Amino acid sequence: MKPVVLLIGKLPHVIGNVAEELDHLPIHWLGAHDQPEVVRQLESEPRIECVIMGAGLDDQVRGDLIGIIAALRPDVCIHLKDRSSGSEGLVPFVEQVVQMQVLAKPQRAAATV
């Protein structure tokens, strides 16, 4: 079963484009672009391993979403993209987080046994 990653961004098509560009990764991508959708995804998908939030949302919204995610799913890491790399930095950021935090998990667990 593929790990599940929740992508949160300002525009729905941006999230779809990221998932499309990274379809070579063995990840089941979920997307959300507003608070109700984030809550719905968190409550309906228990296998979410991490949340990656784009930089397009304003600080108040990002802060509110962090609080909601932490309250609903304290087991999930939240990764915030920087603003300085611009929108073109989103795909590399998501790929780096997924490679290091999600896909590397089984390897680290096996290495410690």
Side-chain angles (χ1 to χ4, degrees), residues 24-91:
H24 62 281
L25 296 173
I27 298 292
H28 178 81
W29 302 102
L30 297 177
H33 62 277
D34 60 20
Q35 184 174 327
E37 183 64 16
V38 169
V39 170
R40 189 186 74 69
Q41 296 283 18
L42 292 170
E43 290 179 342
S44 65
E45 179 51 77
R47 297 181 308 117
I48 293 173
E49 291 198 23
C50 78
V51 173
I52 301 173
M53 193 178 309
L57 300 169
D58 70 47
D59 289 341
Q60 181 65 47
V61 172
R62 284 168 61 135
D64 292 347
L65 288 173
I66 290 168
I68 290 166
I69 295 164
L72 291 174
R73 293 291 304 277
D75 60 311
V76 172
C77 288
I78 305 165
H79 302 273
L80 301 174
K81 186 201 160 291
D82 68 285
R83 289 197 167 100
S84 64
S85 64
S87 59
E88 61 276 358
L90 183 59
V91 169

